[in-house]
């Protein structure tokens, strides 16, 4: 593939441009599908939601307008004028079913105007912008009051707006940072620009190809972020591996065409294996049987596949066409610095004592990794809630004010569904006992029924948090409902219960995902290197990197010491989907360096070098590429740690820390020390460890 691309450069470049243009066109023509509420139904709350929907007792989508006075107690006269304006304008909207009577809070500080929307929750999401704009119009007409809106649809719209802002910020920061790092790595503008350009085009093409796939795997809300995050990282890395090796071969006197072909047979092979490793790891998300994870897995697989394809087609074509001009124009200071340091100049100094004292190096590095991993034993995972959302989102602030002034509105809500002849009587008893406990309130018309199915809505008076949500749910399911409903078939659902069940489901699926990913990557490494020892070492090092990452996450986000540094308020836990997602990503990304480094060590063994010398040569020759690639990944991931969404911060910090540990402590200390201690046994049962150098070299070239 590389030779054809290098000998037909214009065709390869033209086909790549056509691929990108068609993909981007697809993203414009084909509307991307979003997940619906039913896609996240799991557990008992999912069963309850299904029964409620079948009986036609689902909650009508609602929104609430909150009126407060920034100067103190609410002026009822001014509020009544604003409420009249709200009713007139909102009732004129086609998407609004009814506007309820205003309710003033007991503390005299606020008033609310409830409204019911037409259609389903998904319909409300489509029409919410016009409703919010109407509320804002009334706000402008009444500057003496604070008039804001909150509800499921408006909060979701605010979150999507924040995600869009975060994504734009990440794009603006990641591109110049990545280009600057490439300038440091190459010292030349064209060489620095090629990896960035290919990675960015891969991201655009992947988003386009995902659009039709979203009809099978609808977007759960994070696809664009994940594609940018992973696409820029692997796209630059794959181009970097290939470009560095081609330059190295040209320095040895090879022709451009030969250098491209050798780079394809070595680094290109590593790129294919690394890409397959990421794809295999991401496939582990399908095991979780979750719509959001399935969309993330699909989009990531697409962007990695496109990045691999680009590194094996358009990249060789560009290198063949540019030849020595790829190192032009040079940045004088950076070019001289790059030449002076040379390949592996810094790492060779770190590596020397590791090779001299492998047992001590392995022991010390293992202690360091274990120390970082220990806090992971106390890591708490909970579903996201209002406290994990940026307080800069106006709808989030409104929701919290609504809860403070009206405990029965906007709090943790639960729907208890019962079926049978005694369903209504049982739910009436449950309503009485729940209210008497002092932990729940019941809104007006709390019980509704149809065709033998009845539903009771209860609202917790406790502040919204993951801990309170799970505590209230457990009390309903384990104490109050069994006592009141007896033999009546029942289930506890509702929005708050769905959030708890969703988080618990992710925790339950994590062991299966871990087993799937580790088993497949172990088999893949055993087949690739034909060595059981290499496969086992890979698995152990991957687990070490992930454990250290989880430990750092617990240290940073379960405590408050890093709040000022990263500009967030600690929720006291890690969002429940983050560990599962990080695990599959980290195992895949760590294979980038691992395969590349092992490939260079294997070349040394094939040349007949002693194990220690092969490790020294392989690590030294690959260190510059690994350092540059890790710097790109860490910088791109660190950008996400500056974003507003706490989940993006946790993902960015986890990935950046894990890659940093993996590319330094694990790959420059632990891996070489293990390889030296194993010696030729590391390649068992591969014949490589006992072949003559010439035979081994011939075998390597064939592979």
């Amino acid at each position: 593939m590389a030779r054809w691309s290098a000998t037909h450069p214009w065709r390869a470049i033209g086909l790549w441009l056509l691929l990108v243009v068609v993909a981007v066109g697809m993203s414009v023509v084909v509307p991307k599908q979003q997940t619906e509420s039913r896609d996240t139904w799991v557990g008992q709350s999912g069963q309850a939601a299904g029964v409620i929907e079948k009986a036609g007792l689902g909650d009508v989508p609602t929104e609430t307008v909150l009126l407060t006075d920034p100067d103190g107690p609410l002026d009822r006269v001014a509020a009544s004028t604003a409420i009249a304006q709200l009713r007139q304008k909102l009732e004129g909207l086609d998407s609004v079913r009814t506007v309820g009577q205003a309710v003033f809070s007991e503390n005299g500080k606020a008033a609310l105007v409830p409204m019911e929307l037409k259609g389903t929750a998904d319909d409300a999401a489509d029409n919410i912008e016009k409703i919010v704009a109407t509320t804002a119009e009334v706000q402008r007409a009444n500057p003496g009051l604070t008039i804001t809106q909150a509800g499921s649809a408006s909060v979701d719209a605010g979150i999507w707006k924040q995600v869009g802002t975060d994504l734009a910020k990440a794009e603006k920061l990641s591109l110049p940072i990545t280009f600057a790092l490439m300038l440091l790595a190459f010292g030349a503008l064209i060489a620095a620009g090629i990896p960035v350009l290919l990675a960015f085009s891969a991201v655009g093409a992947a988003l386009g190809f995902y659009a039709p796939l979203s009809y099978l795997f609808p977007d759960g809300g994070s696809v664009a972020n994940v594609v940018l995050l992973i696409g820029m990282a692997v796209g630059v890395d794959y181009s970097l591996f290939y470009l560095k090796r081609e330059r190295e071969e040209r320095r040895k006197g090879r022709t451009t065409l030969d250098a491209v072909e050798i780079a394809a047979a070595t680094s290109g092979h590593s790129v294919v294996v690394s890409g397959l490793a990421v794809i295999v790891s991401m496939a582990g998300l399908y095991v979780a049987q979750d719509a959001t994870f399935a969309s993330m897995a699909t989009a990531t697989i697409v962007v990695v596949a496109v990045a691999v394809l680009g590194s094996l087609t358009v990249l060789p074509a560009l290198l063949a066409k540019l030849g020595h001009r790829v190192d032009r124009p040079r940045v004088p200071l950076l070019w001289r610095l790059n030449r002076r340091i040379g390949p592996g100049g810094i790492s060779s100094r770190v590596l020397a004592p590791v090779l001299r004292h492998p047992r001590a190096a392995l022991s010390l590095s293992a202690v360091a990794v274990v120390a970082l991993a220990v806090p992971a034993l106390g890591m708490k995972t909970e579903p996201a809630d209002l406290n994990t959302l940026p307080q800069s989102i106006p709808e989030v602030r409104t929701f919290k004010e609504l809860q403070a002034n009206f405990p029965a509105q906007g709090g943790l809500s639960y729907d208890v569904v019962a079926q049978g002849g005694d369903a209504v009587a049982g739910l009436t008893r449950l309503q009485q006992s729940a209210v008497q406990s002092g932990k729940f309130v019941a809104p007006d018309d709390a019980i509704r029924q149809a065709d033998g199915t009845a539903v009771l809505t209860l609202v917790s008076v406790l502040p919204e948090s993951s801990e309170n949500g799970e505590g209230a749910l457990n009390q309903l399911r384990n104490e109050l409902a069994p006592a009141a409903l007896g033999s009546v078939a029942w289930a506890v659902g509702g929005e708050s219960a769905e959030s708890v069940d969703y988080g618990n489901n992710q925790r339950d699926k994590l062991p299966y995902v871990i087993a799937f990913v580790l088993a497949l990557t172990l088999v893949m490494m055993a087949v690739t290197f034909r060595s059981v020892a290499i496969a086992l070492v890979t698995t152990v090092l991957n687990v070490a990197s992930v454990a250290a990452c989880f430990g750092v996450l617990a240290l940073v986000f379960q405590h408050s010491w890093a709040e000022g540094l990263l500009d967030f308020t600690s929720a006291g836990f890690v969002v429940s989907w983050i560990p599962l997602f990080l695990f599959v990503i980290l195992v895949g990304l760590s294979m980038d360096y691992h395969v590349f480094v092992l490939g260079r060590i294997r070349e040394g063994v094939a040349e007949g070098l002693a194990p220690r010398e092969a490790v020294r040569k392989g690590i030294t020759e690959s260190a510059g590429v690994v350092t540059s690639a890790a710097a790109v990944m860490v910088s791109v991931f660190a950008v996400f740690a500056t974003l507003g969404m706490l989940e993006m911060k946790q993902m960015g910090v986890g990935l950046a820390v894990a890659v940093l540990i993996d590319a330094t402590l694990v790959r420059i200390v632990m891996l070489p020390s293990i390889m030296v201690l194993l010696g030729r046994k590391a390649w068992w049962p591969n014949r490589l460890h006992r072949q003559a150098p010439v035979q081994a070299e011939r075998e390597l070239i064939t592979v």
Side-chain angles (χ1 to χ4, degrees):
M1 187 181 295
R3 173 170 281 278
W4 183 90
S5 300
T7 53
H8 303 83
W10 288 120
R11 293 184 188 179
I13 294 171
L15 288 172
W16 176 258
L17 291 176
L18 179 63
L19 177 79
V20 174
V21 169
V22 169
V24 173
M26 290 172 64
S27 66
V28 175
V29 175
V30 181
K32 187 173 65 174
Q33 301 301 300
Q34 308 290 339
T35 55
E36 298 180 356
S37 56
R38 70 179 63 190
D39 294 326
T40 59
W41 290 349
V42 294
Q44 188 179 132
S45 61
Q47 298 171 7
V51 172
I52 291 172
E53 183 180 66
K54 186 176 181 180
L57 294 173
D59 289 332
V60 175
T62 61
E63 288 284 318
T64 302
V65 179
L66 181 68
L67 295 89
T68 57
D69 191 327
D71 299 324
L74 184 65
D75 184 339
R76 290 212 171 202
V77 176
S80 297
T81 301
I83 289 169
Q85 295 174 5
L86 276 168
R87 292 184 61 86
Q88 179 185 2
K89 291 183 178 294
L90 290 173
E91 287 175 346
L93 297 177
D94 294 336
S95 54
V96 176
R97 184 192 303 271
T98 60
V99 180
Q101 295 297 319
V103 179
F104 287 85
S105 64
E106 294 182 2
N107 58 19
K109 296 181 179 180
L112 66 81
V113 178
M115 71 183 97
E116 294 184 352
L117 309 184
K118 293 180 181 178
T120 64
D122 297 315
D123 296 326
D126 295 334
N127 301 317
I128 194 62
E129 288 187 10
K130 187 176 291 187
I131 301 173
V132 171
T134 301
T135 302
E137 183 181 341
V138 177
Q139 167 67 90
R140 289 191 294 271
N142 298 269
L145 298 174
T146 300
I147 304 175
T148 53
Q149 182 176 325
S152 296
S154 57
V155 169
D156 286 345
I159 293 173
W160 277 102
K161 185 177 180 180
Q162 180 68 49
V163 169
T165 302
D166 284 353
L167 186 61
K169 178 181 178 182
E171 289 175 347
K172 290 178 181 178
L173 290 176
S174 61
L175 285 176
I177 291 174
T178 303
F179 183 70
L181 290 171
M182 290 298 95
L183 271 181
L184 287 174
F186 292 107
L189 290 175
I190 294 178
I194 287 176
V196 179
L197 183 62
L198 288 181
F200 196 65
S201 64
V203 169
L207 288 174
F209 287 131
Y210 173 73
L213 290 174
S214 67
Y215 285 82
L216 296 175
F217 306 98
D219 183 7
S222 302
V223 161
N225 289 35
V226 171
V227 168
L228 177 64
L229 186 77
I230 305 304
M232 288 300 296
V234 300
V236 170
D237 275 11
Y238 296 161
S239 301
L240 185 63
F241 291 165
Y242 201 105
L243 189 51
K244 281 276 191 179
R245 185 58 183 260
E246 189 268 349
R247 292 175 93 214
E248 178 185 328
E249 295 302 326
R250 279 196 291 108
R251 283 197 299 268
K252 294 178 180 179
R254 311 278 190 185
T255 65
T256 298
L257 190 59
D258 287 340
V260 168
E261 187 171 5
I262 292 172
T266 53
S267 295
H269 180 258
S270 296
V271 166
V272 173
V273 174
S274 299
L276 288 175
V278 178
I279 289 172
V280 165
S281 297
M282 291 306 302
L285 288 179
Y286 292 122
V287 177
Q289 298 178 337
D290 176 84
T292 302
F293 282 150
S295 67
M296 290 181 179
T298 303
T300 304
I301 288 171
V302 171
V303 76
V304 171
V306 173
V308 170
L309 181 64
S311 68
L312 298 181
T313 54
V314 69
L315 181 57
L318 287 171
L319 295 179
K321 198 66 185 172
L322 291 169
H324 292 279
R325 293 189 298 276
V326 74
D327 292 328
R328 302 287 192 276
R330 297 171 181 174
V331 181
L333 179 61
L334 295 179
W335 179 264
R336 288 196 297 270
L337 180 64
N338 197 282
R339 287 291 196 179
R340 182 170 298 177
I341 294 176
I346 298 175
S347 63
S348 59
R349 295 176 175 82
V350 177
L351 187 62
V354 172
L355 297 181
R356 285 197 302 269
H357 310 288
R359 286 187 175 82
L362 180 60
S363 299
L364 291 174
S365 58
V367 168
V369 170
V370 170
L372 289 172
V374 165
L377 298 175
M379 184 171 67
K380 293 173 58 180
T381 59
E382 300 289 347
D385 56 30
L386 279 180
N387 295 320
T388 65
L389 293 173
Q391 301 308 299
S392 58
I393 299 177
E395 292 81 4
V396 172
R397 295 197 302 270
T398 300
F399 222 107
K400 288 196 169 184
E401 287 186 59
L402 187 64
Q403 291 176 342
N405 290 287
F406 300 92
Q409 300 285 336
L412 295 161
S413 177
Y414 303 93
D415 289 332
V416 185
V417 57
Q419 291 179 302
D422 297 329
V424 174
L427 290 179
T428 301
R429 291 192 297 271
L430 176 59
Q431 178 181 345
Q432 294 172 349
S433 60
V435 172
Q436 289 173 0
S437 71
K439 297 181 180 179
F440 298 91
V441 293
D444 296 336
D445 301 323
I447 298 178
R448 54 194 188 277
Q449 58 178 318
D451 299 329
T453 301
V455 180
L456 165 66
T457 297
L458 295 171
V459 179
S460 171
V461 299
L462 299 174
E464 181 166 354
S465 69
S466 298
E467 185 175 352
N468 289 339
E470 188 159 11
L473 178 62
N474 289 336
Q475 184 175 16
L476 278 174
R477 286 178 173 172
N478 301 330
E479 300 174 20
L480 299 176
L485 294 167
S487 59
V488 176
W490 59 270
V492 179
E495 187 175 348
S496 300
E498 288 172 7
S499 177
V500 173
D501 287 347
Y502 185 72
N504 290 338
N505 180 69
Q506 289 171 337
R507 282 196 295 266
D508 294 341
K509 290 295 174 62
L510 182 58
Y512 298 101
V513 174
I514 290 175
F516 176 87
V517 172
L518 290 182
L520 259 65
T521 51
L522 187 146
V523 171
M524 183 177 175
M525 291 301 293
V527 172
T528 300
F529 289 96
R530 288 175 289 172
S531 167
V532 174
I534 291 293
L536 292 174
V537 168
T538 299
T539 303
V540 170
L541 293 181
N542 284 340
V543 171
S545 297
V546 173
C549 164
F550 286 179
V552 173
L553 274 180
L555 282 174
V556 171
F557 291 102
Q558 289 182 197
H559 305 87
S560 59
W561 63 270
E563 289 181 336
L565 180 65
L566 296 176
D567 189 24
F568 75 100
T569 300
S570 174
F573 58 84
V574 176
V575 178
S576 56
W577 67 269
I578 293 291
L580 193 153
F581 179 75
L582 285 183
F583 174 80
V584 297
I585 288 288
L586 291 176
V587 170
L589 293 183
S590 66
M591 302 290 277
D592 270 358
Y593 316 122
H594 195 69
V595 171
F596 187 72
V597 172
L598 284 176
R600 297 305 293 259
I601 295 174
R602 188 180 188 278
E603 289 181 39
V605 175
E607 292 170 3
L609 298 178
R612 190 184 302 267
E613 182 60 22
V615 171
R616 186 202 62 76
K617 184 174 183 293
I619 298 290
T620 302
E621 290 180 348
S622 61
V625 181
V626 169
T627 301
S628 300
V632 170
M633 282 197 181
V634 171
S635 64
V636 171
F637 297 153
V639 166
F640 278 73
T642 68
L643 303 184
M645 297 290 289
L646 182 61
E647 290 150 291
M648 293 298 106
K649 283 184 183 293
Q650 292 183 350
M651 187 167 66
V653 169
L655 289 171
V657 168
V659 170
L660 186 62
I661 294 171
D662 190 78
T664 54
L665 192 62
V666 173
R667 305 303 162 193
I668 297 182
V669 180
M670 298 185 76
L671 176 61
S673 58
I674 291 174
M675 294 297 290
V676 169
L677 291 173
L678 288 176
R680 296 193 179 277
K681 295 177 182 178
W683 305 102
W684 182 87
N686 189 350
R687 293 180 300 148
L688 185 69
H689 76 286
R690 60 178 181 272
Q691 282 179 314
V694 174
Q695 292 174 320
E697 187 173 19
R698 185 178 296 116
E699 181 195 23
L700 177 63
I701 293 172
T702 302
V703 171

